[in-house]
Amino acid sequence: MPTKIDMPMPSPHLEQSRKAGDVEPFPSGKITYLAPLPLPTAVPPHGPHIGELNEVYMDFGLGSPQVFSWQLILGGPFSGAFSIAFLFPLIGGFLGLVLGYSWEDTRDSIEGIFHASYGLALITGFSALAILFFTWLHYHNKRAAIIPTRFNRHRREVCFMPEDATEPVFVPWESLSAWVIEAQGATQYGIHRQYGMGIGFQHGETLTSVEFPCFGLSLAISHWEAIRGYMEYEIHDLKSIQDPQDLQGPDDPPHEGLHTFHNARARMHQQIRDGQRGRVSGFFWYLYHIMTLWTIPNHLTEWEIRRLQRMAPNALPEVMRQWSEPLPKEQWVKPSEELTRMSAQVRALHKRQPRRPITEIFAEVQRLNPTDKRRA
């Protein structure tokens, strides 16, 4: 889910006349705007923060629970305790043999290290498990209570539920602002770079926004492209934006679960048969899943998803539920002529200059379509 970015970053100045392609510098970096006017970015879409997606609306900001989080919660403490209790004594015995100890002395040292460390292993394992579990519980309750930002492509509107607000706010899709933030700062470990992506709007003097950190600039843009692609009827399912490893079968649910494990194992065996990976790689695949408790994380992921699905609908305001109802096709809001024309220009420029940064293409298209001319 969206989180605060560690490094202090400025708020976008949405009260000014910003548009796609504008760049706003600040002392440690810059903000690059991707909207208003959601122009195509030509970047592969990726949407890990997208939750429910159907023909009418898409929820952004939460995403579905991931198997990896349960692998970390369960497998991390188990692997740590196992290493302390068994791996450390074996390492101590190996060092004893290297130093020339007899087998009897080596065996005694292994037993001594084991008896001295297994209590520490239990304490460490259960303490880590408790900390990780209560961290999960905090975010699980928070996830169940948060009302996500919802995009309705029939109405071409976005619904925000600002913090502490009693009623949602509806924003026209083409007036929504989107930006990516690049910042860097010096730390004791060297230059630290951060990237973030955000969407929002200026409501009077209040900036309502959703922001979260990303691992790179292209990834930040790809998050926005997943939203834009859905609203412009270019994306119709979660698989295309959340399953880069293609582990979801045609009849599988649109989230991770037990099917993810079975599909990954079947693919791994097929790749070994085809010579695309070795048996050593297969051994470590099995070792990783044994150390993360096999399919238990997959079952827990499915349980968590079912629980959230039962809890989430009760939190939505009634006006938001009514707004989310499908419209007859003849009532679907159409894209503006301005967006259609400028999107075609962006695609044509990118086709001629595929290596040119998309933000420079945005800026050139904006110059070709000055504000006064567009208003006229």
Side-chain angles (χ1 to χ4, degrees):
M1 65 183 62
T3 56
K4 292 183 179 180
I5 300 173
D6 295 335
M7 189 179 299
M9 294 188 182
S11 299
H13 296 159
L14 302 187
E15 71 278 3
Q16 302 177 12
S17 182
R18 297 298 182 183
K19 53 188 180 296
D22 284 354
V23 176
E24 179 183 324
F26 58 92
S28 61
K30 62 181 180 179
I31 301 174
T32 303
Y33 291 86
L34 304 175
L37 278 191
L39 301 174
T41 65
V43 173
H46 181 53
H49 299 283
I50 293 173
E52 185 176 359
L53 183 153
N54 55 42
E55 175 59 32
V56 183
Y57 62 81
M58 176 187 74
D59 287 342
F60 175 81
L62 298 178
S64 297
Q66 304 293 310
V67 171
F68 178 74
S69 65
W70 281 107
Q71 289 177 333
L72 178 64
I73 292 171
L74 300 178
F78 175 77
S79 299
F82 181 88
S83 299
I84 294 173
F86 298 101
L87 190 59
F88 287 3
L90 291 177
I91 293 175
F94 174 75
L95 292 175
L97 290 175
V98 171
L99 295 174
Y101 288 7
S102 66
W103 170 245
E104 290 77 11
D105 292 337
T106 301
R107 184 183 61 187
D108 291 341
S109 65
I110 291 175
E111 292 178 354
I113 295 174
F114 173 77
H115 288 300
S117 62
Y118 82 90
L120 176 63
L122 291 176
I123 294 173
T124 302
F126 282 111
S127 298
L129 181 63
I131 292 172
L132 290 172
F133 174 76
F134 282 111
T135 301
W136 167 84
L137 185 62
H138 168 75
Y139 282 105
H140 177 77
N141 293 333
K142 185 177 180 181
R143 179 192 291 268
I146 286 178
I147 298 177
T149 301
R150 178 165 289 186
F151 293 78
N152 188 318
R153 61 181 181 182
H154 285 187
R155 301 176 184 272
R156 291 180 71 81
E157 290 181 339
V158 185
C159 178
F160 285 88
M161 191 66 184
E163 189 175 355
D164 299 328
T166 57
E167 292 293 330
V169 179
F170 302 98
V171 182
W173 161 240
E174 294 187 18
S175 67
L176 181 73
S177 292
W179 57 87
V180 293
I181 301 177
E182 304 171 69
Q184 66 179 22
T187 68
Q188 59 181 337
Y189 305 106
I191 300 299
H192 179 52
R193 291 182 174 83
Q194 280 194 303
Y195 302 90
M197 179 260 178
I199 57 174
F201 70 101
Q202 196 77 26
H203 184 61
E205 297 183 354
T206 304
L207 171 63
T208 299
S209 64
V210 177
E211 292 183 317
F212 55 90
C214 301
F215 291 109
L217 179 61
S218 60
L219 187 60
I221 297 177
S222 72
H223 291 334
W224 166 247
E225 180 61 21
I227 299 172
R228 190 208 65 82
Y230 170 80
M231 290 297 286
E232 300 300 332
Y233 292 88
E234 299 171 12
I235 293 172
H236 304 282
D237 54 51
L238 287 171
K239 178 177 174 58
S240 59
I241 57 177
Q242 290 187 349
D243 188 25
Q245 298 182 354
D246 195 23
L247 295 178
Q248 178 186 332
D251 300 324
D252 292 334
H255 54 72
E256 292 188 356
L258 188 60
H259 61 278
T260 307
F261 174 87
H262 292 309
N263 293 343
R265 184 170 60 172
R267 170 177 294 183
M268 184 266 297
H269 283 290
Q270 185 62 47
Q271 289 174 340
I272 291 176
R273 288 192 294 269
D274 295 341
Q276 298 177 2
R277 65 191 300 174
R279 294 187 180 276
V280 174
S281 175
F283 167 78
F284 281 106
W285 187 93
Y286 275 101
L287 178 62
Y288 172 81
H289 285 86
I290 290 172
M291 297 302 291
T292 55
L293 304 188
W294 203 237
T295 61
I296 293 178
N298 302 76
H299 286 288
L300 288 172
T301 301
E302 292 184 344
W303 166 81
E304 184 180 1
I305 290 172
R306 290 194 299 268
R307 188 168 189 270
L308 288 171
Q309 288 173 343
R310 292 194 300 268
M311 296 171 62
N314 299 327
L316 293 180
E318 179 61 28
V319 64
M320 189 174 177
R321 281 197 287 266
Q322 294 178 1
W323 175 84
S324 302
E325 293 295 324
L327 294 176
K329 192 167 185 178
E330 59 273 12
Q331 296 182 20
W332 292 6
V333 179
K334 305 295 183 183
S336 66
E337 185 276 334
E338 176 186 15
L339 176 61
T340 303
R341 181 183 68 252
M342 294 177 66
S343 296
Q345 292 174 348
V346 167
R347 291 189 173 97
L349 280 173
H350 182 263
K351 187 176 181 179
R352 292 199 301 268
Q353 301 172 309
R355 296 188 177 183
R356 187 179 181 187
I358 194 64
T359 51
E360 293 183 7
I361 293 178
F362 285 175
E364 180 171 343
V365 169
Q366 296 288 356
R367 288 193 296 270
L368 295 173
N369 296 269
T371 304
D372 294 341
K373 180 180 179 181
R374 297 206 303 267
R375 289 176 178 172

